[in-house]
Amino acid sequence: MALTGRIHSFQSMGAVDGPGLRYVVFFQGCPLRCAFCHNPDTWEMTGGAEYTVEQVLERVLRCRGYLKKGGVTATGGEPLAQGEFVEELFRQLRREGIHTALDTSGAVPLDRAERVLEQTDLVLADLKFTTEEEYRRYTGGSLSHTLEFLELCRKKGIPLWIRHVVIPGLTDTEENIQKLGKLLEPYPNVERVELLPFRTLCLEKYRTLGIPFPLEGTPEMDLNRTRELEKLLSSARK
Protein backbone atom coordinates (compact mmCIF):
# COMPACT_ATOMS: atom_id res chain seq x y z
CA MET A 1 0.00 0.00 0.00
CA ALA A 2 1.16 3.55 -0.74
CA LEU A 3 2.38 5.55 2.24
CA THR A 4 -0.15 8.25 3.12
CA GLY A 5 -0.21 11.25 5.43
CA ARG A 6 -2.76 13.80 6.55
CA ILE A 7 -2.12 17.29 5.24
CA HIS A 8 -3.88 20.42 6.48
CA SER A 9 -2.93 22.72 3.60
CA PHE A 10 -0.23 23.91 1.20
CA GLN A 11 1.39 27.29 0.57
CA SER A 12 3.08 27.53 -2.79
CA MET A 13 5.20 30.66 -2.25
CA GLY A 14 6.28 30.94 1.39
CA ALA A 15 8.92 33.54 2.18
CA VAL A 16 9.33 33.22 5.98
CA ASP A 17 9.87 29.48 6.54
CA GLY A 18 13.49 29.01 5.58
CA PRO A 19 15.89 30.41 2.96
CA GLY A 20 14.52 31.61 -0.37
CA LEU A 21 11.02 30.97 -1.66
CA ARG A 22 9.52 27.81 -0.17
CA TYR A 23 6.78 25.35 -0.92
CA VAL A 24 5.27 24.90 2.54
CA VAL A 25 3.43 21.73 3.56
CA PHE A 26 1.26 22.09 6.68
CA PHE A 27 0.88 18.69 8.34
CA GLN A 28 -2.14 17.74 10.39
CA GLY A 29 -1.83 16.74 14.04
CA CYS A 30 0.16 18.01 17.02
CA PRO A 31 0.87 16.54 20.49
CA LEU A 32 1.21 20.00 22.08
CA ARG A 33 -1.45 22.52 23.05
CA CYS A 34 0.46 25.78 23.09
CA ALA A 35 -1.38 28.70 24.69
CA PHE A 36 -0.38 30.97 21.79
CA CYS A 37 -0.90 28.51 18.92
CA HIS A 38 -2.07 30.18 15.69
CA ASN A 39 -3.23 26.95 14.06
CA PRO A 40 -5.63 25.10 16.42
CA ASP A 41 -7.28 23.65 13.32
CA THR A 42 -4.15 21.51 12.83
CA TRP A 43 -4.25 19.85 16.27
CA GLU A 44 -6.37 16.76 15.60
CA MET A 45 -4.90 13.92 13.56
CA THR A 46 -8.30 13.24 12.00
CA GLY A 47 -8.47 16.59 10.22
CA GLY A 48 -7.06 17.66 6.89
CA ALA A 49 -6.97 15.43 3.82
CA GLU A 50 -5.10 12.27 2.95
CA TYR A 51 -2.26 12.38 0.42
CA THR A 52 0.40 9.98 -0.77
CA VAL A 53 4.04 11.04 -0.86
CA GLU A 54 3.87 10.94 -4.65
CA GLN A 55 0.88 13.30 -4.72
CA VAL A 56 2.67 15.85 -2.53
CA LEU A 57 5.85 15.52 -4.59
CA GLU A 58 3.88 16.11 -7.78
CA ARG A 59 2.47 19.36 -6.37
CA VAL A 60 5.95 20.52 -5.36
CA LEU A 61 7.54 19.73 -8.71
CA ARG A 62 4.98 21.88 -10.53
CA CYS A 63 6.58 24.84 -8.73
CA ARG A 64 10.16 23.69 -9.17
CA GLY A 65 11.12 26.74 -11.24
CA TYR A 66 11.07 29.15 -8.32
CA LEU A 67 12.43 26.71 -5.71
CA LYS A 68 16.01 26.76 -7.03
CA LYS A 69 17.23 29.07 -4.25
CA GLY A 70 14.55 27.92 -1.80
CA GLY A 71 13.03 24.54 -1.18
CA VAL A 72 10.31 22.76 0.75
CA THR A 73 9.38 23.28 4.40
CA ALA A 74 7.36 20.78 6.42
CA THR A 75 5.44 22.48 9.20
CA GLY A 76 2.11 22.02 10.96
CA GLY A 77 0.80 21.09 13.36
CA GLU A 78 3.82 18.96 14.10
CA PRO A 79 5.31 17.25 11.05
CA LEU A 80 7.26 14.79 13.19
CA ALA A 81 3.94 13.36 14.35
CA GLN A 82 3.92 11.83 10.84
CA GLY A 83 7.62 11.13 10.77
CA GLU A 84 7.61 8.18 8.37
CA PHE A 85 5.77 10.23 5.75
CA VAL A 86 8.04 13.27 6.15
CA GLU A 87 11.14 11.07 6.00
CA GLU A 88 10.08 9.56 2.68
CA LEU A 89 8.93 12.90 1.26
CA PHE A 90 12.24 14.53 2.17
CA ARG A 91 14.18 11.58 0.72
CA GLN A 92 12.46 11.99 -2.61
CA LEU A 93 12.84 15.78 -2.55
CA ARG A 94 16.58 15.48 -2.01
CA ARG A 95 16.81 13.07 -4.93
CA GLU A 96 15.33 15.89 -6.96
CA GLY A 97 17.95 18.29 -5.61
CA ILE A 98 15.42 20.24 -3.52
CA HIS A 99 16.41 21.72 -0.13
CA THR A 100 14.42 20.38 2.85
CA ALA A 101 13.53 22.29 6.01
CA LEU A 102 11.74 20.93 9.06
CA ASP A 103 9.72 23.36 11.22
CA THR A 104 9.23 21.51 14.49
CA SER A 105 8.87 21.70 18.25
CA GLY A 106 10.79 18.43 18.53
CA ALA A 107 8.04 17.09 20.81
CA VAL A 108 8.22 13.45 19.70
CA PRO A 109 10.41 10.48 20.69
CA LEU A 110 13.97 11.12 19.53
CA ASP A 111 14.26 7.82 17.69
CA ARG A 112 11.35 8.90 15.51
CA ALA A 113 12.90 12.32 14.91
CA GLU A 114 16.36 10.90 14.10
CA ARG A 115 15.22 9.13 10.95
CA VAL A 116 13.64 12.31 9.59
CA LEU A 117 16.75 14.33 10.41
CA GLU A 118 18.79 12.02 8.16
CA GLN A 119 16.90 13.60 5.23
CA THR A 120 16.78 17.18 6.58
CA ASP A 121 18.94 20.10 5.43
CA LEU A 122 17.72 22.69 7.95
CA VAL A 123 15.72 22.61 11.18
CA LEU A 124 13.52 25.52 12.23
CA ALA A 125 13.17 24.73 15.92
CA ASP A 126 10.50 26.26 18.14
CA LEU A 127 11.97 26.90 21.58
CA LYS A 128 8.82 28.07 23.28
CA PHE A 129 9.85 28.87 26.88
CA THR A 130 13.05 28.98 28.89
CA THR A 131 11.91 27.11 32.02
CA GLU A 132 10.50 23.62 32.47
CA GLU A 133 7.57 24.93 34.51
CA GLU A 134 6.44 27.38 31.81
CA TYR A 135 6.93 24.80 29.09
CA ARG A 136 4.64 22.32 30.81
CA ARG A 137 2.08 24.92 31.85
CA TYR A 138 1.71 26.69 28.50
CA THR A 139 2.43 23.92 25.97
CA GLY A 140 2.01 20.54 27.65
CA GLY A 141 5.54 19.75 26.47
CA SER A 142 8.98 19.66 28.06
CA LEU A 143 11.95 22.02 27.82
CA SER A 144 14.39 19.21 28.67
CA HIS A 145 13.06 17.10 25.80
CA THR A 146 13.32 20.05 23.41
CA LEU A 147 16.95 20.57 24.44
CA GLU A 148 17.60 16.86 23.83
CA PHE A 149 16.22 17.32 20.33
CA LEU A 150 18.52 20.32 19.77
CA GLU A 151 21.44 18.19 20.97
CA LEU A 152 20.52 15.52 18.43
CA CYS A 153 20.61 18.18 15.71
CA ARG A 154 24.02 19.33 16.97
CA LYS A 155 25.42 15.80 16.85
CA LYS A 156 24.21 15.40 13.29
CA GLY A 157 25.58 18.79 12.27
CA ILE A 158 22.23 20.06 11.03
CA PRO A 159 21.91 23.87 10.87
CA LEU A 160 19.38 25.30 13.32
CA TRP A 161 17.19 28.37 13.11
CA ILE A 162 15.61 28.97 16.50
CA ARG A 163 12.19 30.59 16.85
CA HIS A 164 10.89 32.07 20.10
CA VAL A 165 7.54 33.84 20.42
CA VAL A 166 7.73 37.04 22.49
CA ILE A 167 4.53 37.40 24.54
CA PRO A 168 3.73 40.44 26.71
CA GLY A 169 3.81 39.47 30.37
CA LEU A 170 5.27 36.02 29.68
CA THR A 171 8.40 36.01 27.53
CA ASP A 172 9.09 39.70 26.90
CA THR A 173 11.43 40.30 29.84
CA GLU A 174 15.15 40.94 29.52
CA GLU A 175 15.73 38.09 31.99
CA ASN A 176 13.93 35.64 29.70
CA ILE A 177 15.87 36.75 26.63
CA GLN A 178 19.16 36.39 28.50
CA LYS A 179 18.09 32.88 29.57
CA LEU A 180 17.35 32.08 25.96
CA GLY A 181 20.84 33.16 24.95
CA LYS A 182 22.35 30.97 27.69
CA LEU A 183 20.28 27.95 26.67
CA LEU A 184 21.60 28.21 23.12
CA GLU A 185 25.30 28.50 24.04
CA PRO A 186 26.01 24.75 23.69
CA TYR A 187 24.79 24.67 20.08
CA PRO A 188 27.33 26.04 17.59
CA ASN A 189 25.06 24.93 14.74
CA VAL A 190 22.53 27.67 15.61
CA GLU A 191 22.72 30.00 12.61
CA ARG A 192 19.85 32.32 13.44
CA VAL A 193 17.50 33.19 16.31
CA GLU A 194 14.16 34.77 15.43
CA LEU A 195 12.05 36.56 18.04
CA LEU A 196 8.47 36.39 16.79
CA PRO A 197 6.08 39.04 18.17
CA PHE A 198 2.85 37.63 19.63
CA ARG A 199 -0.19 38.31 17.46
CA THR A 200 -3.94 37.68 17.90
CA LEU A 201 -4.93 37.01 14.27
CA CYS A 202 -5.87 33.49 15.34
CA LEU A 203 -8.79 34.58 17.53
CA GLU A 204 -11.39 34.01 14.84
CA LYS A 205 -10.17 30.44 14.33
CA TYR A 206 -10.68 29.66 18.02
CA ARG A 207 -14.13 31.18 18.01
CA THR A 208 -15.12 29.24 14.89
CA LEU A 209 -13.88 25.99 16.46
CA GLY A 210 -15.55 26.80 19.79
CA ILE A 211 -12.22 26.58 21.61
CA PRO A 212 -11.26 29.18 24.26
CA PHE A 213 -8.06 31.05 23.42
CA PRO A 214 -5.92 30.84 26.59
CA LEU A 215 -4.23 34.21 25.96
CA GLU A 216 -7.33 36.16 24.95
CA GLY A 217 -6.97 39.66 26.35
CA THR A 218 -3.17 39.61 26.07
CA PRO A 219 -2.06 42.61 23.97
CA GLU A 220 -0.07 42.12 20.80
CA MET A 221 3.69 42.48 21.14
CA ASP A 222 5.09 45.92 20.38
CA LEU A 223 7.49 45.75 17.41
CA ASN A 224 9.87 48.37 18.80
CA ARG A 225 10.18 46.43 22.05
CA THR A 226 10.80 43.25 20.04
CA ARG A 227 13.66 44.96 18.22
CA GLU A 228 15.16 46.05 21.56
CA LEU A 229 15.05 42.46 22.78
CA GLU A 230 16.65 41.27 19.53
CA LYS A 231 19.58 43.61 20.21
CA LEU A 232 19.83 42.31 23.77
CA LEU A 233 19.84 38.73 22.54
CA SER A 234 22.50 39.51 19.95
CA SER A 235 24.71 40.97 22.67
CA ALA A 236 24.08 38.02 24.99
CA ARG A 237 25.15 35.52 22.29
CA LYS A 238 28.45 37.24 21.42
Side-chain angles (χ1 to χ4, degrees), residues 9 11 14 16-27 60 67 70-76 79 86 89-90 93 98-104 122 124 163:
S9 56
Q11 183 181 4
V16 295
D17 296 295
L21 288 175
R22 318 287 301 179
Y23 194 98
V24 185
V25 184
F26 292 84
F27 282 80
V60 172
L67 298 179
V72 172
T73 299
T75 185
V86 178
L89 175 63
F90 276 13
L93 288 168
I98 296 174
H99 181 274
T100 59
L102 178 70
D103 183 5
T104 179
L122 171 69
L124 312 175
R163 291 173 158 182

Side-chain angles (χ1 to χ4, degrees), residues 40 200-213 216-217:
T200 58
L201 295 172
C202 57
L203 269 174
E204 194 56 42
K205 284 187 182 180
Y206 282 85
R207 290 167 181 163
T208 299
L209 293 169
I211 301 172
F213 182 45
E216 187 163 3

Side-chain angles (χ1 to χ4, degrees), residues 28-102:
Q28 188 72 33
C30 184
L32 301 183
R33 293 295 180 268
C34 299
F36 50 85
C37 179
H38 268 213
N39 297 310
D41 45 337
T42 66
W43 288 349
E44 301 301 331
M45 285 298 303
T46 54
E50 194 171 74
Y51 287 83
T52 65
V53 171
E54 290 71 25
Q55 286 172 326
V56 176
L57 184 65
E58 181 182 1
R59 293 178 67 113
V60 172
L61 293 180
R62 290 180 204 154
C63 304
R64 183 175 203 145
Y66 69 77
L67 298 179
K68 291 178 181 177
K69 294 184 180 180
V72 172
T73 299
T75 185
E78 173 51 70
L80 288 180
Q82 301 186 61
E84 185 180 2
F85 187 95
V86 178
E87 177 191 359
E88 182 57 29
L89 175 63
F90 276 13
R91 179 181 289 109
Q92 294 197 33
L93 288 168
R94 290 177 110 187
R95 285 177 186 162
E96 297 287 341
I98 296 174
H99 181 274
T100 59
L102 178 70

